[in-house]
């Protein structure tokens, strides 16, 4: 061995070799060595000609680099590592280096993107995120009706809603209209497109899609874009440049109601950070429970769902006068990569869910016969040419429009000679509509009534907060006294709230009794003595509470009188619907098959089909029935059910009270009250004693423009019983006595026209709105709302636990039941 080594050494250093030749011989030896290594590499390359993606489960055996950024891009060849974005999208290690290594040409572009992303977003600005956000090609669907194939755009093409809306196969986008041939649609679709629909494909997606230039961006400026499904790299999602993220967020959180320019101020579909308690509002960064139930696949990462849901909501509120269809949403989904195909597919599911839920495509819309708001299977349901749904309606505000969107046949059986139930507008007064029933919208933000007014172009009059309390004798009560007693009144209710925290239904007591008990204890313990006027003002506030409950407080539950306040309520302005609710109701009723003077006597659901019998003996056969009769009629068994209603439902029906208030409206020859109330929308009447509490306690000016001279007042609590047996002229006389006491310093003319309501005596109504009786609970509303065997459904304000006592509550109960009927 040593000889061999010496021999090799001698050969290398032989004296007959010139020093100049040494490098040449050495170089030749290296060439041979490299050749040998190359041979080995060729053998290895033959085995690794197409290196597989290392992502477990990835189906790409021969990945192709979509980036083509580096000069030595692997394209469809070999690379030391493939970076996986989806099962059909990879980039090679050479292109990774091109952007990620500081000495490479693409590094500056990557760092510039990274600065923007970090400034606006919350997620990690990784190279993979950069590639997905900036380098993946867009995919677009051919809009030709008989094609619909998906095509990959070249990398330099920036997809826009206009391109997505008009794209045809082969279209030269730099020339916008010309195509590369007439048969481009015949070209086969990329095989990767079919895989996108499979469940496993989405599970292999590395990064969730973040929409670019989403219509939702102006609504969500207070959020990190990537937390609500939007790309932080877009200018539309930039938030207050030049400030730190903390400063930005704190500034935007202080903005209570972010609205979009040109949009109805009552449209606020998204909660702002740290905001809560606003009805029909959604958290843009969180899935709600019913959403998680419907779309459990997004429970781990809800980004795609949130992106699409937020986009759909924003599109709806941007233009609520037209039905929102999948076709109108698709071209607003701007996101790179194959995932756009998946987004378009999922968007349709989400849009239908939100329609069934009543968040979009609700209210008053004109829908063409070929336009579907739900999948077609919902539209062709009928049985033996019989109506699919019969609505036995005697109640205002049910959403019949929604049923037309769901089923092909609906018949409405109305007991009265008019529609609307407790919505009944009197238009006989000169120049002014006066509601005998509902006319005020309580809380307009996100209220469906505000939505429908926007759809119809109806202006809502915001009611001012000023309400002078006028004493009999004509004196206006000192505002400080009013504020003081209002404070004490609310303090009493706060004590009631504390008292009920550990009380069961069996420990319930009447609200009036509990208020008196707390009031007396306060007087005794504090030693404070209220003046006679202060006592009267307290009676006024109690009458207001009886107005809200629709009953004397001796009947109302102290434990559950405000049960719905535990749920988010409609915020914002209270408004007067000057044109009357009937304008909305009449529009909702257009096109419906409504049979007037058809009171329902019995509903037999013992067989496969439901038999509905009306007073004239007609028997109607149907698959499903929606019952919307007032609570008072259910309590009096006005409709016979076979089989009878369950004991549980009957108990719930009887645990609620059928509240009654009455109204009086008077038209005068001139506005005698103007100088005293100075433009206020209403004024209060301080009762002279507790026995007259609720007798014309508030007067409303029914013409905000001040052209007509009409006042409307309410009768509440025990005062309803006081006037029950009086004729209209006697009630008018009592009202005029009160008005002349309140305006004693001037002449009060006789009215030229008036009406007095008699809701308690109406055979098909017998009430105004519901309340929880002593010993009852808000759960009763849910029990009454429960359907029976998927055949009999119940709607109306007394079935809406969240929003009872309102037209809005009745309407939303109709939306709810429509959704349930669609689910069966």
């Amino acid at each position: 061995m040593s000889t061999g080594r010496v021999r090799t050494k001698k050969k290398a250093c032989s004296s007959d070799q010139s020093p100049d030749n040494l490098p040449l011989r050495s170089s030749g030896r290296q060439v041979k060595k490299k050749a040998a290594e190359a041979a080995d590499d060729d053998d290895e390359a033959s085995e690794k000609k197409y290196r597989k993606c290392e992502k477990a489960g990835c189906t790409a055996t021969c990945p192709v680099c979509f980036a083509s950024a580096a000069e030595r891009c692997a394209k469809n060849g070999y690379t030391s590592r493939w970076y996986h974005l989806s099962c059909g999208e990879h980039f090679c290690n050479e292109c990774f280096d091109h952007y990620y290594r500081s000495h490479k040409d693409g590094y500056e572009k990557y760092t510039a993107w990274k600065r923007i992303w970090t400034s606006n977003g919350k997620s990690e600005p990784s190279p993979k995120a950069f590639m997905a956000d900036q380098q993946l090609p867009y995919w677009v669907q051919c809009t030709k009706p008989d094609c619909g194939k998906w095509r990959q755009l070249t990398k330099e093409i920036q997809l826009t809603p206009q391109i997505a809306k008009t794209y045809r196969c082969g279209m030269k986008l730099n020339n916008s209209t010309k195509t590369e041939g007439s048969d481009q649609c015949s070209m086969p679709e990329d095989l990767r497109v079919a895989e996108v629909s499979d469940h496993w494909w989405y599970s292999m997606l590395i990064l969730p899609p973040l929409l670019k230039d989403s219509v939702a961006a102006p609504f969500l400026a207070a959020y990190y874009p990537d937390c609500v499904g939007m790309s932080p790299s877009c200018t539309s999602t930039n938030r207050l440049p030049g400030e730190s993220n903390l400063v930005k967020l704190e500034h935007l959180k202080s903005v209570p109601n972010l609205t979009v320019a040109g949009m109805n101020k009552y449209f606020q579909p998204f909660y702002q950070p740290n905001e809560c308690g606003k009805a029909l509002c959604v958290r843009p960064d969180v899935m709600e429970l019913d959403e998680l139930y419907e779309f459990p696949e997004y429970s781990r990462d809800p980004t795609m769902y949130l992106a699409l849901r937020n986009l759909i909501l924003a599109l709806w509120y941007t233009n609520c006068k037209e039905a929102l269809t999948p076709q109108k949403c698709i071209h607003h989904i701007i996101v790179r990569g194959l995932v756009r195909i998946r987004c378009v597919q999922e968007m349709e599911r989400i849009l239908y869910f939100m329609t069934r839920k009543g968040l979009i495509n609700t209210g008053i819309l004109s829908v063409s016969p070929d336009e579907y708001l739900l999948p077609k299977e919902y539209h062709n349901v009928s049985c033996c040419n019989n109506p699919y749904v019969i609505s036995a309606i005697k109640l205002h505000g049910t959403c019949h429009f929604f049923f037309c969107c769901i089923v092909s046949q609906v018949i409405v059986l109305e007991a009265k000679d008019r529609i609307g139930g407790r919505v009944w507008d009197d238009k006989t007064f000169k120049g002014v509509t006066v509601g005998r029933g509902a006319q005020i919208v309580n809380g307009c933000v996100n209220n469906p009534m505000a939505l429908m007014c926007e759809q119809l172009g109806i202006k809502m009059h915001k009611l001012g907060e000023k309400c002078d309390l006028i004493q009999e004798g004509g004196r206006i009560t000192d505002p400080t006294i009013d504020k003081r007693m209002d404070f004490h009144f609310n303090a009493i209710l706060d004590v009631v709230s504390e008292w009920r925290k550990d009380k069961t239904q069996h420990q319930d007591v009447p609200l009036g009794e509990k208020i008196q008990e707390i009031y007396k204890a306060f007087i005794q313990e504090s030693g404070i003595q209220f003046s006679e006027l202060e006592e009267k003002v307290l009676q006024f506030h109690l009458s207001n509470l009886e107005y809200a409950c629709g009953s004397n407080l001796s009947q109302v539950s102290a434990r559950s009188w405000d049960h719905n306040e535990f749920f988010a309520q409609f915020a914002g302005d209270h408004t007067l619907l000057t044109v009357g609710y009937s304008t909305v109701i009449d529009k909702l009723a257009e096109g419906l098959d409504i049979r007037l003077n058809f009171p329902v006597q019995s509903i037999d659901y013992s067989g496969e089909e439901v038999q509905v019998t009306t007073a004239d003996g007609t028997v109607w056969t149907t698959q499903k029935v929606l019952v919307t009769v007032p609570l008072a009629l259910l309590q009096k068994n006005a409709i016979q059910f076979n089989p009878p209603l369950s004991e549980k439902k009957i108990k719930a029906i009887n645990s609620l009270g059928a509240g009654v208030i009455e109204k009086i409206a008077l038209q005068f020859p001139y506005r005698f009250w103007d100088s005293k109330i100075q433009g206020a929308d209403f004024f209060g009447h301080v009762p002279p004693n507790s026995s007259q509490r609720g007798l014309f306690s508030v007067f409303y000016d029914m013409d905000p423009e001040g052209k007509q001279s009409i006042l409307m007042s309410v009768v509440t609590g025990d005062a309803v019983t006081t006037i029950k047996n009086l004729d209209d002229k006697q009630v008018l006389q009592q009202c005029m006595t009160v008005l002349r006491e309140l305006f004693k310093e001037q002449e009060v003319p006789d009215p030229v026209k008036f009406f007095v309501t008699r809701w308690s005596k109406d055979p098909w109504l017998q009430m105004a709105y519901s309340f929880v009786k002593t010993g009852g609970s808000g759960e009763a509303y849910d029990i009454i709302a429960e359907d029976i065997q998927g055949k009999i459904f119940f709607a109306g304000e007394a079935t809406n636990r969240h929003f009872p006592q309102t037209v809005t509550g009745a309407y939303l109960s109709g939306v709810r039941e429509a959704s349930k009927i669609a689910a069966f």
Side-chain angles (χ1 to χ4, degrees), residues 432-452:
V432 174
T433 297
V434 181
R436 289 174 175 261
Q439 195 170 5
I440 293 174
V441 182
N442 295 304
C444 289
V445 172
N446 297 334
N447 195 308
M449 294 304 142
L451 171 74
M452 287 187 275

Side-chain angles (χ1 to χ4, degrees), residues 543-559:
S543 73
N544 234 3
L545 184 57
E546 291 180 326
Y547 182 12
C549 294
S551 170
N552 181 287
L553 299 181
S554 63
Q555 304 295 318
V556 180
S557 164
R559 181 176 173 271

Side-chain angles (χ1 to χ4, degrees), residues 7 121 213 269 275 604 642 679 728 738 760 777 810 818:
R7 222 176 18 243
D213 298 318
E275 192 179 31
D604 188 333
N642 183 36
D728 288 358
V738 169
S760 63
S777 78

Side-chain angles (χ1 to χ4, degrees), residues 112-126 129-130 132-134 208-214 217 220 223-239 245 248 303 334-335:
W113 168 87
K114 189 175 179 179
R115 281 193 297 271
I116 297 172
W117 188 280
T118 305
S119 175
N120 291 323
K122 192 174 184 181
S123 58
E124 182 70 25
S126 65
F130 169 77
D133 189 69
Q134 296 291 305
L210 297 175
L211 302 187
K212 293 177 175 288
D213 298 318
S214 172
L220 304 176
Y223 290 88
Y224 289 108
D226 41 338
C227 292
V228 291
M230 301 186 301
S231 171
S233 68
C234 296
T235 55
S236 62
T237 55
N238 288 349
R239 303 191 318 267
N245 279 338
K248 293 175 192 174
T303 306
I334 307 298
V335 63

Side-chain angles (χ1 to χ4, degrees), residues 25 72 114 126 143 180 249 321 399 629 651 704 772 810 815:
R25 289 181 177 251
R72 298 182 62 188
K114 189 175 179 179
S126 65
T143 57
E180 296 175 353
L249 285 177
K321 296 181 181 180
C399 177
V629 299
K651 183 179 179 181
V772 179
V815 174

Side-chain angles (χ1 to χ4, degrees), residues 663-668 695-696 699 711 715 723 726-740 749-756 758:
K663 299 172 82 172
I664 182 172
L666 314 96
Q667 186 162 26
F668 295 95
L695 195 60
F696 319 116
F699 286 87
L711 291 175
V715 180
I723 70 163
L726 300 179
D727 61 34
D728 288 358
K729 288 188 177 178
Q730 289 174 312
V731 177
L732 170 64
Q733 185 178 357
Q734 285 201 13
C735 186
M736 289 305 299
T737 299
V738 169
L739 278 173
R740 286 179 172 133
D750 289 331
V752 296
K753 182 177 177 58
F754 78 100
F755 71 64
V756 177
R758 301 290 181 179

Side-chain angles (χ1 to χ4, degrees), residues 380-427:
N380 301 313
V381 185
S382 60
C383 182
C384 302
N385 296 318
N386 293 326
Y388 180 63
V389 174
I390 284 183
S391 179
I393 178 169
K394 302 185 185 76
L395 181 65
H396 63 256
T398 304
C399 177
H400 290 105
F401 162 80
F402 206 80
F403 288 103
C404 292
C405 298
I406 294 176
V407 294
S408 55
Q409 297 182 49
V410 179
I411 292 178
V412 181
L413 301 179
E414 168 58 63
K416 297 178 71 65
D417 59 358
R418 61 174 179 83
I419 64 170
R422 285 167 276 177
V423 167
W424 186 14
D425 291 332
D426 192 315
K427 299 186 178 182

Side-chain angles (χ1 to χ4, degrees), residues 43-263:
D43 292 338
E44 201 173 338
S46 64
E47 297 175 8
K48 299 181 180 178
K49 186 175 182 180
Y50 296 103
R51 185 185 185 94
K52 292 183 179 180
C53 174
E54 295 174 3
K55 172 72 175 174
C58 180
T59 57
T61 55
C62 304
V64 178
C65 181
F66 64 78
S68 297
E71 186 177 342
R72 298 182 62 188
C73 172
K75 302 193 185 316
N76 63 343
Y78 175 79
T79 183
S80 59
R81 178 180 178 183
W82 285 109
Y83 291 86
H84 174 106
L85 291 184
S86 78
C87 283
E89 296 163 322
H90 301 79
F91 61 96
C92 67
N93 193 61
E94 288 71 22
C95 288
F96 170 85
D97 286 347
H98 176 76
Y99 289 110
Y100 191 68
R101 305 302 176 190
S102 59
H103 62 284
K104 297 289 186 177
D105 293 343
Y107 181 72
E108 187 176 337
K109 185 175 182 179
Y110 171 66
T111 53
W113 168 87
K114 189 175 179 179
R115 281 193 297 271
I116 297 172
W117 188 280
T118 305
S119 175
N120 291 323
K122 192 174 184 181
S123 58
E124 182 70 25
S126 65
K128 284 189 176 182
F130 169 77
M131 288 294 197
D133 189 69
Q134 296 291 305
Q135 298 301 305
L136 270 175
Y138 285 103
W139 288 76
V140 65
Q141 190 173 27
C142 179
T143 57
K144 193 173 180 179
D146 57 349
C147 179
K149 292 186 177 72
W150 284 92
R151 306 299 189 189
Q152 179 178 298
L153 300 180
T154 55
K155 199 172 74 167
E156 66 274 9
I157 298 296
Q158 297 294 317
L159 183 63
T160 65
Q162 184 60 28
I163 291 175
K165 192 175 183 179
T166 59
Y167 181 80
R168 296 290 181 94
C169 290
M171 180 181 284
K172 291 183 178 179
L173 296 176
N174 55 355
N175 207 2
S176 72
T177 56
K178 292 182 181 179
T179 59
E180 296 175 353
S182 58
D183 62 343
Q184 291 298 308
C185 289
S186 65
M187 297 292 290
E189 190 174 56
D190 192 304
L191 294 176
R192 290 176 292 170
V193 173
E195 293 183 337
V196 174
S197 302
D198 293 332
H199 173 75
W200 61 264
W201 187 93
Y202 184 72
S203 67
M204 295 294 293
L205 190 67
I206 293 297
L207 298 168
L210 297 175
L211 302 187
K212 293 177 175 288
D213 298 318
S214 172
V215 177
F219 292 91
L220 304 176
Y223 290 88
Y224 289 108
D226 41 338
C227 292
V228 291
M230 301 186 301
S231 171
S233 68
C234 296
T235 55
S236 62
T237 55
N238 288 349
R239 303 191 318 267
L240 302 179
E243 298 181 20
S244 69
N245 279 338
L246 181 62
V247 173
K248 293 175 192 174
L249 285 177
E250 290 305 315
H251 172 83
L252 288 162
K253 285 176 183 179
S254 67
V255 181
N257 296 314
L258 186 67
T259 55
V260 178
M263 187 174 294

